[in-house]
Amino acid sequence: MEPESSRATLRDAVTVLVCLLGSLSAYGQATPGQRPQMAEEIFKNVQVLKGIPVNEFLGIMGFFSASLGKSCVDCHDSDSGWENYVADTNPNKRTARAMIGMMSVINKNFFGGRQVVTCYSCHRGGPHPKVTPNLAALYSPPSESEPDDIVQQAAGAPSVDQILDKYVQAIGGAQRLASLTSFVAKGTSVGYGLDQDKRPVEIYAKAPGQRTTIVHTTAGDTITTYDGRAGWIAAPNIPIPVLPLTGGDLEGAKLDAQLTFRVGIKQALAQWRVGNPADIDDHEVQVVQGVGAGQAMATLYFDAESGLLVRQLRYASSPVGRMPTQIDYSDYREVSGVKIPFRWAVTWLDGRENFELSEVQPNAPVDATKFAKPALPAKSVIR
């Protein structure tokens, strides 16, 4: 047996990749100009989840983890390396295949093929579904219900244009936004698990929608890049060092880049609708939802008083359930007359990362190579 520290390192390496992916891709949508690699082409002994891009396959593992409150080593014999993930000696792995089939049959026979039942429907973050009613819960005040993923248009709500126009004005106005064409920023990030130390971060952004984030870790650089059409993730200690983004991952990277330069926010999504007001941290927020070109859905929450964007919650489809990624924005500061968040927290199915900027250079020259496909990860140079 490997020592626990080695098991934790391997487990966290898998989780890092799922973290980087954030939400999962929609079926069949590939990075422009190339066919994505499918799970069965990279990993051995894939029996059920075939025909799925690698990034989506890995994200599904994160969905299982979140739904059952388990980690990789609870289903995979992975104590001594990636090669042992292929083994079927752990009965939990075989059970997972059967559960996927069961959910598919239920959804097909009772819901017309719509994805209504998922792992989370019954497990709710625990390894075993509850079978007996909880009397204490029955006779206690009802807990606050979770809002539906799909926002329904609210009667008498402000229009989408009114909310988005107020937001553009709140962060500086269209003229000042148009004058910010690029920036280079530095700061830190704090992860989870073994990554709770502050890591240096660099961000390069260029209007209308290019963005690269580099996190310098002791193991090597983690790079997320979107060049306006295609995107990649490069990181050390993962099975595929440079992974093309597809589907919902690509849509998410595109939306993040577009929201960096907010001038085109109305064009970033379509099929807009405004829901009923909600509360975030005791502040009333206005809720709007739209759909991207790849049908990835995103909900935006704007502070009702200031008009600033305080949360993005986006979803993408997968064979086992809808995948959420949440980004909370705070600490807005003026940079060349434009307010940008100096802090944001990214939360996904099995982790969280907090970013904080220390300096931003507006309209700095950014070489096109910063948005190119990353090279194979090398040993990090901490700056």
Side-chain angles (χ1 to χ4, degrees), residues 96-250:
R97 292 192 183 113
M99 293 294 99
I100 294 170
M102 180 187 73
M103 288 187 303
S104 178
V105 169
I106 292 173
N107 287 325
K108 179 180 179 181
N109 291 347
F110 296 96
F111 300 105
R114 292 181 297 116
Q115 197 173 61
V116 175
V117 176
T118 71
C119 306
Y120 190 75
S121 301
C122 298
H123 286 272
R124 308 290 288 185
H128 304 290
K130 299 294 184 182
V131 296
T132 305
N134 185 322
L135 293 176
L138 286 174
Y139 295 98
S140 299
S143 59
E144 185 176 345
S145 60
E146 298 178 7
D148 290 336
D149 295 346
I150 299 176
V151 171
Q152 302 296 330
Q153 177 64 43
S159 70
V160 170
D161 283 344
Q162 287 176 309
I163 295 173
L164 298 185
D165 287 344
K166 181 178 179 179
Y167 168 59
V168 169
Q169 195 61 37
I171 58 178
Q175 185 173 351
R176 286 181 175 174
L177 284 173
S179 69
L180 182 64
T181 58
S182 68
F183 70 74
V184 175
K186 292 184 178 181
T188 58
S189 78
V190 176
Y192 65 100
L194 298 180
D195 294 321
Q196 294 187 23
D197 293 331
K198 285 188 176 182
R199 292 90 53 90
V201 169
E202 297 176 55
I203 297 176
Y204 300 89
K206 189 173 182 179
Q210 294 179 300
R211 182 180 173 113
T212 291
T213 300
I214 305 173
V215 180
H216 299 290
T217 76
T218 55
D221 289 348
T222 293
I223 305 172
T224 305
T225 296
Y226 180 73
D227 71 359
R229 295 181 65 251
W232 302 268
I233 289 174
N237 301 328
I238 59 175
I240 304 173
V242 180
L243 183 64
L245 298 180
T246 65
D249 294 327
L250 187 62

Side-chain angles (χ1 to χ4, degrees), residues 57-112:
F57 179 84
L58 291 169
I60 288 173
M61 301 302 109
F63 187 91
F64 292 158
S65 175
S67 296
L68 281 75
K70 295 290 186 179
S71 69
C72 307
V73 296
D74 290 303
C75 291
H76 295 278
D77 296 324
S78 54
D79 289 328
S80 57
W82 297 108
E83 64 276 6
N84 289 325
Y85 273 64
V86 68
D88 277 344
T89 54
N90 191 322
N92 290 339
K93 187 178 177 184
R94 299 193 296 272
T95 299
R97 292 192 183 113
M99 293 294 99
I100 294 170
M102 180 187 73
M103 288 187 303
S104 178
V105 169
I106 292 173
N107 287 325
K108 179 180 179 181
N109 291 347
F110 296 96
F111 300 105

Side-chain angles (χ1 to χ4, degrees), residues 5-16:
S5 59
S6 297
R7 295 181 63 191
T9 300
L10 182 59
R11 182 167 60 246
D12 282 0
V14 181
T15 309
V16 162

